[in-house]
Amino acid sequence: MTGTTKAEGGTARLRVLLLCEVGEGRQQQFLDAYERVRHAVAEVPGHVVDQLCRSTDEPGQWLITSEWESAELFHAWVDSAEHLETVAPLRECVVGRRSLRYTVERETTGRPPSQRSAAEPGPEAEPAAVVTRHAITYAVRPGSGPDVAKVFGARVPPAGAVSRTRLRRASLYRHGDRFFRTVEITGGPEHIGPTLAAIVRRPHVRAIEEEVRHHMVADVDLGDEESARSFFRRAALRAVRHHAAGEPHGTLHRHVLFYPVLPGRGPELVELLGRHGASTVDGGAGALRTATVYAAEDMVLRSVDLAVPAVDAPGLAVGVGARPDDGAELAALLDPALCPYDLSARDGLRAYLDAFDMPAVTDFVATPA
């Protein structure tokens, strides 16, 4: 028998388990709904297979298992509007459900070692450590930004506190009446939801969220699983570009910048900032050590770690290269009413930093348990 750790191409497959309690008298309705839904799901990019199983002890308990080529493809499906519409007939029959997600780290097949491909690692291989970066954003009522920042700033645990979750770092930034939280966790994207849920359940976090809740533009009850899931889905900013010059070392200055994007130009900005990160970080010898772009349509952030203060290297911080036209290319994607600065000039870049480099309200760096 042969043991493997990753799917072909080096990406871990994802196994999803959905435990469902079907309402009394709705078993046939549930089966009919599944029959309609399964064919639509089978056409989704990344879907491999799914099975519907029924408990031998409790007839009302059902299990839907599905396998996906990667967590990214699964989350692209789950976060889409089509997902909610497609699975609605199933949800009408269900009175309780729970979702579990696992990456496929080991697999045993009947193939002898002689038939294993050269690129396929044996059972002794250990999966590489994975760090996933994610962000969420939400708006508070006009004028309440300073009050909300005080609530968060007064109750954050000290840096270095022990984390019994996968959380490595969580930081909160503010631009006017909008807040952005960036998180780094150990593990793949499938661990983001469970990690955030575990953190939100902590009593001191719930107390903060309840105090902040009445300031938020969109009401959300993070104590309710469905409400929390919907909020995190709407508020998500994915890390769509990430470049790092090896493992962080020495004293680094972290900055998170907001970009006032013109309507419809968000994808172009992501590509521009991605090219800048690739050309300035991947070499490993410069002052820019990491660059991560978070985005959702026209909402774009950039987190950078610099070996020097941002004011000494404003072009690296903002994302402007050495070419004369780089500043103008970036400025063309931004709202001139909000960004009237000459990004081709050092003074203009520093003015941009003054306006859009968001100071950290909180910055929690965890020590693993």
Side-chain angles (χ1 to χ4, degrees):
M1 290 185 292
T2 300
T4 66
T5 57
K6 300 291 181 186
E8 185 178 355
T11 300
R13 299 193 306 277
L14 184 70
R15 183 74 46 75
V16 181
L17 310 179
L18 182 62
L19 304 171
C20 300
E21 181 181 352
V22 177
E24 187 176 354
R26 291 192 168 187
Q27 308 294 331
Q28 190 58 49
Q29 181 184 351
F30 178 75
L31 285 169
D32 293 343
Y34 177 78
E35 192 65 24
R36 296 195 304 271
V37 166
R38 70 187 184 98
H39 295 294
V41 177
E43 298 298 322
V44 176
H47 177 270
V48 178
V49 66
D50 63 61
Q51 294 179 324
L52 176 64
C53 309
R54 189 174 190 176
S55 171
T56 58
D57 300 318
E58 297 288 341
Q61 303 294 325
W62 295 76
L63 170 66
I64 299 175
T65 68
S66 63
E67 188 170 311
W68 299 77
E69 293 175 5
S70 70
E72 289 79 8
L73 290 170
F74 170 75
H75 284 287
W77 156 242
V78 168
D79 292 342
S80 68
E82 291 79 6
H83 169 259
L84 294 176
E85 182 178 351
T86 300
V87 302
L90 279 174
R91 290 190 173 184
E92 291 176 0
C93 311
V94 172
V95 295
R97 59 190 175 86
R98 183 186 179 197
S99 179
L100 303 172
R101 301 166 190 180
Y102 301 86
T103 54
V104 180
E105 300 292 340
R106 294 288 190 277
E107 180 178 82
T108 303
T109 71
R111 291 177 297 157
S114 60
Q115 295 181 13
R116 184 190 306 156
S117 68
E120 190 174 277
E124 70 282 354
E126 289 296 330
V130 175
V131 176
T132 297
R133 294 160 179 84
H134 194 72
I136 58 174
T137 181
Y138 54 87
V140 297
R141 300 189 186 283
S144 62
D147 294 332
V148 173
K150 288 180 182 178
V151 172
F152 281 112
R155 299 190 179 183
V156 69
V162 171
S163 173
R164 301 187 183 278
T165 70
R166 291 175 174 270
L167 182 68
R168 290 163 51 111
R169 186 169 186 168
S171 309
L172 183 69
Y173 301 88
R174 172 185 160 227
H175 179 68
D177 292 323
R178 179 167 287 277
F179 286 80
F180 300 90
R181 184 176 295 282
T182 63
V183 296
E184 297 175 9
I185 69 163
T186 301
E190 68 278 6
H191 297 296
I192 285 289
T195 300
L196 292 176
I199 294 169
V200 167
R201 284 195 293 268
R202 293 177 174 177
H204 77 279
V205 176
R206 288 292 303 276
I208 294 173
E209 299 295 346
E210 284 301 317
E211 191 168 349
V212 168
R213 181 180 174 185
H214 71 277
H215 290 290
M216 295 175 63
V217 171
D219 186 34
V220 56
D221 180 5
L222 294 181
D224 177 77
E225 181 180 350
E226 197 63 36
S227 179
R229 192 195 310 274
S230 177
F231 167 72
F232 287 130
R233 183 169 54 245
R234 295 193 314 269
L237 297 173
R238 298 200 178 281
V240 292
R241 297 289 187 277
H242 176 71
H243 300 274
E247 287 296 319
H249 62 274
T251 300
L252 297 179
H253 305 266
R254 174 159 293 191
H255 298 267
V256 176
L257 284 77
F258 176 77
Y259 291 83
V261 188
L262 285 169
R265 309 299 294 275
E268 293 176 69
L269 178 58
V270 167
E271 290 301 319
L272 179 64
L273 295 176
R275 291 197 303 270
H276 180 269
S279 64
T280 54
V281 177
D282 288 351
L288 184 59
R289 308 304 298 170
T290 72
T292 307
V293 180
Y294 300 92
E297 297 181 346
D298 290 334
M299 185 73 70
V300 180
L301 304 182
R302 185 175 189 245
S303 171
V304 298
D305 288 319
L306 290 161
V308 298
V311 69
D312 294 335
L316 289 178
V318 175
V320 172
R323 295 186 306 124
D325 294 338
D326 283 350
E329 187 177 3
L330 174 60
L333 302 176
L334 305 179
D335 187 340
L338 299 175
C339 177
Y341 314 114
D342 180 2
L343 300 185
S344 300
R346 194 174 183 85
D347 287 346
L349 290 168
R350 286 180 170 176
Y352 187 93
L353 287 175
D354 288 340
F356 298 110
D357 181 10
M358 300 183 291
V361 177
T362 64
D363 186 18
F364 170 63
V365 181
T367 297

